[in-house]
Amino acid sequence: MAGDSVFLTGAPGSGKTYVLNQFIKYAKQAKKRIAITASTGIAATHIGGTTVHSWSGLGIREEITDRDEKWLKENDRLLKRYNNIDILIIDEVSMIHGKRLDMINSVCKLLRDSDQPFGGLQVVLTGDLFQLPPINRGDESIDFAHLSETWQELNPKICYLNEQHRQANDSLLDLLEAMRANDINQAHYDALGERLGLESPEDVAITKLYSHNADVEQINDSHLKALDEEIKVFVMETHGVQSKVEQLIKSVLAPEILELKVGAEVMFVANNFAEGYVNGTRGRVVDFRDGFPYVELQRNRRVIKVATNSWALEEDGKERARVTQLPLRLAWAITIHKSQGMSLDSAEIDLSRAFTPGMGYVALSRVRTLDGVYLKGINNTALAMHSEIFDFDTTLKQSSQNLATSISDDDYIFTSEAPEGPKLNNKLNETLLEVLKTWRMQEAATRRVPLYMIASNKTIETLATDTPTSESKLKLVTGIGPKMIERYGGELLDIIREHLGVMEIPDERDEKLKLFLQQRGIVLSEADIKTLKSVINGE
């Protein structure tokens, strides 16, 4: 928040993507200009960005020649792109070659006319170095990003998330931690052995994770053909520059042509908290009505109508391409590579053809508990991790701890450009906190979701500290977005008002808006006023 360059890391389930999205939100509020990129298209869709290869203008170049430098400096579009941002975000940096990071650094210096690292940009790198490393072609050595000259020059502050948001005291979590610590023992092998060869329950849809794409396509195709139902075909709609459209199509998990039948096992490939699904949620098609499929969610048996979803590619603050498709893909099987970033209740995992260190770690870490793992096969590579990472991970943890003890929460403030909201009560109301925690627990039990999907600990604590009693003040609370206000806003305000013993406090802006309209002879309904206010507020 103070403008330092950072490497944000942590184990699966520690909340890296959540923290990054919160940072992006605050940075935009502070009028910071941000380039949001990732090493792969799939990772980019998780944070609403584009690939760093596309953003940088480097494409698939392996080096920067004198001719390239001349072209880059004469490219007005790239000059504007590089000089109109304050922050560069690169997600899943573990999958970027060190040489590629050096090239991006060089171009930033060239186009921003500065010898500072990345031309003086604040750089936020995120990822888990234990996950799948950069792909090498014909070279056994790994060109890790953290070994590059650029990494040493940037010397990012380390923010290592160590709070686990998955189920504690589970043997799978213990195994993953052991793999990260290079401390696998016989008990871990025994725990995996108990899952080897188990048949998955027939009454529960289990996602199959395979190392090779050919296996995945064959499994999904054969299962779909086996269903004795009418096939429905959904074709992706595209808009924008053709080259950008093609780039976007490659980056999203939704297929260009989606074939479905009643009974098809599907996986959602987008987040929609209001509808109750996230990227990785499993379900089964149960009906087609009005041209849309209806899917029964596996977790709570709720049936929802699945509307289309749009993915956009933005560059320089403008939308260059957009694709629209149902946020679904067949989910009897998926590749381990494409499963990165997903959380699954259960999975049938075949590691018998694992071909690179970290592959088993990625596959196993997709599942929430060991009881959800059905292991079909395993080879000697499956549990291997890159040995170079272990010592560096210890260094990262220590650096993060040193940073945490050297600063206070007051340091996490943007410069004076940040908008300053109204001063609210800053004393934690312990009694209200317990009331809100109880409400969250009951809501989570009703919806059968983890507590954090209702509201994070930080959000609950902020509500109990700021005690907002109007919608305008509720919007200022960290972690409260439009969807949460729509779903829970009224309920939360009622809880807080009742606890404080106050009546609903009218929003002064509403009264001013009504007066403004009345003075001009304009008569609108309350609903129209609410809509108009939303437009004014940019919602």
Side-chain angles (χ1 to χ4, degrees), residues 157-371:
K157 299 285 182 67
I158 308 302
C159 293
Y160 200 121
L161 301 181
N162 52 32
E163 180 176 325
Q164 183 54 239
H165 296 281
R166 295 186 179 180
Q167 181 174 323
N169 301 319
D170 179 73
S171 50
L172 177 58
L173 188 58
D174 185 55
L175 169 62
L176 295 174
E177 289 297 333
M179 292 176 73
R180 295 176 67 90
N182 195 22
D183 189 29
I184 300 177
N185 57 41
Q186 190 59 45
H188 299 120
Y189 289 115
D190 291 343
L192 271 183
E194 293 178 1
R195 309 304 302 174
L196 184 61
L198 286 180
E199 292 296 331
S200 56
E202 295 182 359
D203 59 336
V204 179
I206 302 292
T207 299
K208 297 176 173 63
L209 301 183
Y210 284 79
S211 55
H212 291 74
N213 195 58
D215 296 325
V216 168
E217 292 180 354
Q218 188 275 326
I219 291 170
N220 283 331
D221 186 56
S222 63
H223 276 279
L224 186 67
K225 288 180 178 177
L227 295 176
D228 188 21
E229 299 285 346
E230 180 184 357
I231 193 167
K232 301 287 186 180
V233 180
F234 300 88
V235 180
M236 179 181 286
E237 296 179 8
T238 63
H239 303 278
V241 181
Q242 185 60 32
S243 62
K244 298 299 181 182
V245 168
E246 292 175 358
Q247 178 184 334
L248 186 57
I249 289 174
K250 292 179 181 178
S251 71
V252 302
L253 286 172
E256 290 185 72
I257 299 177
L258 176 64
E259 296 181 338
L260 296 176
K261 294 180 180 180
V262 170
E265 295 295 337
V266 293
M267 175 184 293
F268 286 85
V269 293
N271 296 328
N272 190 326
F273 297 106
E275 290 297 327
Y277 64 80
V278 296
N279 192 4
T281 296
R282 285 295 310 274
R284 178 186 286 116
V285 177
V286 293
D287 196 6
F288 292 96
R289 277 180 270 163
D290 303 323
F292 293 96
Y294 282 72
V295 172
E296 181 184 73
L297 303 184
Q298 178 179 309
R299 177 172 295 179
N300 55 16
R301 303 303 177 190
R302 178 186 170 199
V303 176
I304 62 173
K305 173 186 175 181
V306 183
T308 55
N309 187 82
S310 291
W311 293 264
L313 189 155
E314 294 186 1
E315 290 179 353
D316 309 325
K318 295 182 180 179
E319 184 177 292
R320 303 296 184 184
R322 175 178 291 271
V323 299
T324 302
Q325 176 62 289
L326 294 173
L328 298 171
R329 67 177 294 124
L330 295 178
W332 283 285
I334 191 170
T335 62
I336 293 171
H337 177 81
K338 289 183 178 179
S339 74
Q340 279 200 115
M342 293 181 174
S343 293
L344 305 172
D345 291 323
S346 54
E348 181 180 292
I349 302 173
D350 189 342
L351 295 172
S352 62
R353 297 174 63 197
F355 56 86
T356 185
M359 183 163 280
Y361 177 78
V362 169
L364 293 169
S365 62
R366 297 310 94 212
V367 189
R368 294 184 175 91
T369 68
L370 191 62
D371 288 341

Side-chain angles (χ1 to χ4, degrees), residues 60-105:
I60 59 175
R61 288 179 177 84
E62 295 295 331
E63 60 180 8
I64 302 175
T65 64
D66 292 341
R67 183 177 180 180
D68 289 331
E69 285 192 4
K70 183 176 185 298
W71 172 79
L72 287 165
K73 287 190 290 188
E74 294 176 352
N75 190 312
D76 292 337
R77 178 173 56 85
L78 287 178
L79 276 169
K80 180 179 179 181
R81 178 184 301 174
Y82 276 78
N83 287 280
N84 279 1
I85 64 166
D86 306 299
I87 304 169
L88 172 61
I89 292 172
I90 306 178
D91 194 20
E92 295 290 2
V93 72
S94 66
M95 299 180 70
I96 291 183
H97 294 84
K99 184 178 180 181
R100 170 70 55 177
L101 202 62
D102 288 339
M103 290 170 62
I104 297 168
N105 183 27

Side-chain angles (χ1 to χ4, degrees), residues 4-7 87-90 117-118 121-125 154 156:
D4 293 316
S5 290
V6 164
F7 175 44
I87 304 169
L88 172 61
I89 292 172
I90 306 178
F118 288 89
L121 289 173
Q122 178 185 7
V123 181
V124 179
L125 308 172
L154 184 66

Side-chain angles (χ1 to χ4, degrees), residues 25 43 59 112 204 229 349 392 539:
K25 172 185 174 181
R112 291 175 62 85
V204 179
E229 299 285 346
I349 302 173
F392 188 59
E539 299 171 1

Side-chain angles (χ1 to χ4, degrees), residues 21 46 82 111 143 200 263 282 300 322 364 426 431 487:
N21 284 329
H46 295 165
Y82 276 78
L111 298 189
D143 184 17
S200 56
R282 285 295 310 274
N300 55 16
R322 175 178 291 271
L364 293 169
N426 59 5
T431 306
R487 182 183 286 270

